[in-house]
Amino acid sequence: MLYLHHSNKMESLLQALLQVLEQPLDDPFAAETILVQNQGMARWITQGIADRQGIAANLDFPLPATFIWRIFELQLERVPDSSSFDKESLLWRCMALLPRYAHSEGFEEIANYLSGDDATLKCYQLSRRIADLFDQYLVYRADMIKAWEAGEEMHWQAWLWRAMREQSAEPHRAALIEEFRASLDVQGAAAQIPQRIMLFGISALPPLYLDIIASLSEHIEVHLFLLNPSLNYWGDIISEKDLARLRGLWRSHGRNDVSELYMAGNPLLASMGRQARDFLDQMHEYQAVDFDFFEAPGQGSLLAAVQEDILNLQQRGSEGFPVCTIEPGDRSIQVHSCHSPMREVQVLHDQLLSLFESLEDLTPQDVVVMSPDIDQLAPYIEAVFGGVPVQRYIPFSISDQADAAQDPLVETLLGWLELPFDRFEAPVVLSWLELPAVQRRFGLDQAAVERIREWVSNSGIRWGVDSEHRAQLGIDEADNSNSWAFGFERLFLGYAMSPGSGLYQGIA
């Protein structure tokens, strides 16, 4: 069964989540599965549950895409651990194919772009863009992918996709979705699939993912906790900008202006709530049981007045809705004009200090700062929030950054940049040799890597370059034992002398 929980406050949704969690699962050792849009939300939920119940344990917070792939693995038999149709694989496969097809019929635009200087760099950049598009097609345009594979399209993207399909027979996401639906219809949900799943605070999902969740709800319990800013239906509201575009379209085609048929509602919600509106409209297409937990914000501040207008889908100041009186010292909504990202973060820090001083109950864990591009601001946040004196320090953490270190090569490179401060521990150094790129650079194969690993272990190498390096880390300079220099001396001596020669100048 599919259950929809609506509220205009996250705290109310969290309370509704706790009510669901009060009903235990059949398996007392099974984890509760809560799908979230980012790990920042997962931490907020965990803290909220712990504050209200004293403990938050055995909770699983997968991202939607991760969860979908996980249930594919549980429900279907032939699902690879990693797909040759994920974005990174598509990038390199596309980069290998483009030069081969660049001079074929229909690829004239590609050939023109790849000509001239920096052809390899251009090929990489174009391949990344194409891989990103193909990745989105698999989720949002599965019907188009299916048509390409059936040979119904003849443009260069379709030809390129068919070439990739010929290279790999393993199923991609669009094909797996069809298999998954068919499997559910025939045999029901696999026993390993969770008895109950919850989606919390998610503002958008691809239609295919929603279809999968809806299909699952016919076999298991599915709860969606949706932040809904208005208690009225607002799927038909339209912003003034969109309405102006429609008026221009009507005029250009000689049609009558029918603006009065469109509902304006609240202009702020109409102009900035399109994504949430479309998502809620999608949810209304499925049969579900609805629960409402709306709360009136009141009239105590400018922010509350704006929230009240959005909740009731009204425009304050228009006919029938009088303007409310705001106290002169009201700071519930503020706008600051800053000339640089650094200045933005400095003003934010000063404003937070002011709030902590004026509001005694406010703590750092009550504050969430949101940005459309947190990666751009992250260095400035580290500099400003991390570089202040202790009396002005505010505890902070940065969530939802793009993790460049997920790539093994990038992670290794970042590790090398830390070498001046590193202990050169043997397992860490040996892990570098596992990278295919490093093996190719030094002409190693897996057998050679295993032999090196055996040498390092048997010679007693544990950490530290030599005695001088250890002295820099606070160890007695005379102590050279179990360092890389210590181990190399043993290895080279063993190579130079016959077996069973015993100690030579104190070295075995």
Side-chain angles (χ1 to χ4, degrees):
M1 179 62 74
L2 180 62
Y3 301 92
L4 300 183
H5 306 261
H6 300 262
S7 180
N8 59 324
K9 293 186 65 176
M10 293 298 291
E11 293 82 359
S12 300
L13 290 177
L14 181 60
Q15 193 60 42
L17 172 67
L18 288 170
Q19 293 176 7
V20 174
L21 293 177
E22 288 177 357
Q23 302 298 321
L25 299 173
D26 293 341
D27 181 1
F29 297 103
E32 290 283 4
T33 303
I34 306 174
L35 278 64
V36 292
Q37 202 148 327
N38 52 62
Q39 291 307 310
M41 177 61 73
R43 282 192 289 273
W44 184 83
I45 294 172
T46 303
Q47 290 177 353
I49 293 176
D51 288 342
R52 289 162 175 78
Q53 293 190 334
I55 187 173
N58 208 17
L59 303 173
D60 183 25
F61 292 99
L63 301 180
T66 303
F67 175 77
I68 295 297
W69 195 263
R70 184 189 301 174
I71 62 172
F72 283 169
E73 293 176 328
L74 295 174
Q75 185 73 26
L76 305 175
E77 295 181 357
R78 57 186 194 99
V79 178
D81 294 334
S82 60
S83 174
S84 59
F85 291 94
D86 61 32
K87 191 185 300 186
E88 287 302 314
S89 298
L90 287 172
L91 161 63
W92 299 115
R93 294 173 64 197
C94 184
M95 191 172 178
L97 286 171
L98 276 183
R100 190 185 311 171
Y101 283 86
H103 301 290
S104 303
E105 184 180 355
F107 283 79
E108 291 81 7
E109 293 179 347
I110 303 297
N112 182 57
Y113 178 78
L114 296 181
S115 62
D117 298 334
D118 299 327
T120 304
L121 177 59
K122 290 179 180 178
C123 185
Y124 171 80
Q125 293 171 335
L126 180 60
S127 298
R128 179 167 286 281
R129 292 290 299 275
I130 293 173
D132 184 58
L133 282 174
F134 282 175
D135 183 67
Q136 295 184 56
Y137 291 161
L138 286 170
V139 176
Y140 294 95
R141 295 299 306 275
D143 55 334
M144 185 173 67
I145 292 290
K146 189 176 180 180
W148 288 359
E149 294 178 354
E152 298 176 9
E153 300 285 348
M154 295 300 171
H155 54 77
W156 68 265
Q157 286 194 52
W159 280 108
L160 185 62
W161 178 263
R162 284 193 286 269
M164 290 184 177
R165 206 69 183 97
E166 291 173 0
Q167 290 181 337
S168 176
E170 71 179 37
H172 49 64
R173 272 176 291 179
L176 287 172
I177 288 171
E178 292 188 2
E179 290 186 32
F180 178 77
R181 288 172 176 163
S183 177
L184 279 181
D185 293 338
V186 172
Q187 65 186 44
Q192 298 89 342
I193 290 179
Q195 174 188 343
R196 173 173 66 201
I197 65 171
M198 290 160 279
L199 293 83
F200 193 97
I202 292 177
S203 58
L205 276 179
L208 279 178
Y209 286 5
L210 273 180
D211 285 345
I212 292 172
I213 298 297
S215 299
L216 269 179
S217 69
E218 299 176 5
H219 304 271
I220 67 172
E221 195 175 317
V222 178
H223 294 264
L224 275 79
F225 298 87
L226 303 172
L227 187 64
N228 188 346
S230 178
L231 54 82
N232 298 311
Y233 175 73
W234 53 289
D236 294 332
I237 67 174
I238 186 170
S239 67
E240 289 295 333
K241 180 180 179 180
D242 290 336
L243 197 55
R245 182 179 55 82
L246 286 175
R247 291 193 187 104
L249 190 63
W250 295 330
R251 283 195 301 269
S252 64
H253 288 78
R255 297 184 179 180
N256 296 328
D257 187 336
V258 290
S259 302
E260 67 277 1
L261 300 179
Y262 287 82
M263 179 181 177
N266 182 272
L268 189 62
L269 185 59
S271 62
M272 303 184 69
R274 178 180 299 177
Q275 185 183 54
R277 179 194 66 195
D278 294 343
F279 182 58
L280 288 171
D281 269 354
Q282 287 178 320
M283 297 311 309
H284 290 144
E285 296 176 3
Y286 302 101
Q287 292 185 349
V289 179
D290 287 88
F291 298 95
D292 296 336
F293 303 93
F294 291 100
E295 294 184 33
Q299 305 286 332
S301 65
L302 178 58
L303 175 60
V306 171
Q307 291 173 331
E308 182 82 15
D309 288 352
I310 293 175
L311 180 67
N312 296 313
L313 212 60
Q314 66 190 25
Q315 182 178 355
R316 198 174 298 269
S318 61
E319 184 178 352
F321 298 104
V323 176
C324 67
T325 302
I326 303 299
E327 295 295 329
D330 189 339
R331 301 175 63 198
S332 57
I333 295 180
Q334 301 179 45
V335 178
H336 298 268
S337 178
C338 304
H339 61 270
S340 68
M342 174 65 84
R343 186 60 184 150
E344 288 180 22
V345 179
Q346 289 172 338
V347 170
L348 169 65
H349 189 267
D350 291 342
Q351 293 299 316
L352 287 176
L353 287 176
S354 176
L355 288 172
F356 289 132
E357 185 176 350
S358 59
L359 302 175
E360 295 182 357
D361 296 335
L362 186 67
T363 64
Q365 72 174 14
D366 299 323
V367 177
V368 176
V369 179
M370 294 185 290
S371 167
D373 188 357
I374 195 65
D375 290 313
Q376 179 187 4
L377 288 177
Y380 304 105
I381 296 172
E382 294 281 1
V384 174
F385 280 72
V388 296
V390 63
Q391 61 269 24
R392 300 180 64 237
Y393 181 77
I394 301 173
F396 72 98
S397 63
I398 305 176
S399 302
D400 305 327
Q401 286 183 269
D403 189 3
Q406 288 181 352
D407 187 293
L409 277 176
V410 176
E411 189 172 8
T412 301
L413 176 60
L414 294 177
W416 290 346
L417 294 176
E418 296 290 335
L419 285 181
F421 316 101
D422 197 71
R423 286 165 51 92
F424 283 83
E425 297 173 346
V428 175
V429 176
L430 291 172
S431 69
W432 300 338
L433 300 182
E434 297 291 344
L435 289 173
V438 175
Q439 293 179 11
R440 289 193 299 269
R441 174 63 181 81
F442 293 101
L444 303 173
D445 56 18
Q446 194 58 41
V449 173
E450 291 301 324
R451 191 176 305 116
I452 293 171
R453 189 181 298 277
E454 182 180 354
W455 287 344
V456 170
S457 175
N458 291 342
S459 63
I461 297 174
R462 296 298 179 264
W463 71 278
V465 177
D466 50 25
S467 58
E468 182 180 351
H469 175 241
R470 287 185 160 203
Q472 295 173 1
L473 299 176
I475 306 299
D476 183 7
E477 189 172 351
D479 185 7
N480 194 38
S481 59
N482 299 108
S483 67
W484 285 92
F486 165 83
F488 287 162
E489 287 179 350
R490 297 188 65 192
L491 285 169
F492 290 132
L493 187 64
Y495 183 79
M497 300 182 66
S498 60
S501 298
L503 294 177
Y504 176 76
Q505 294 187 357
I507 302 173

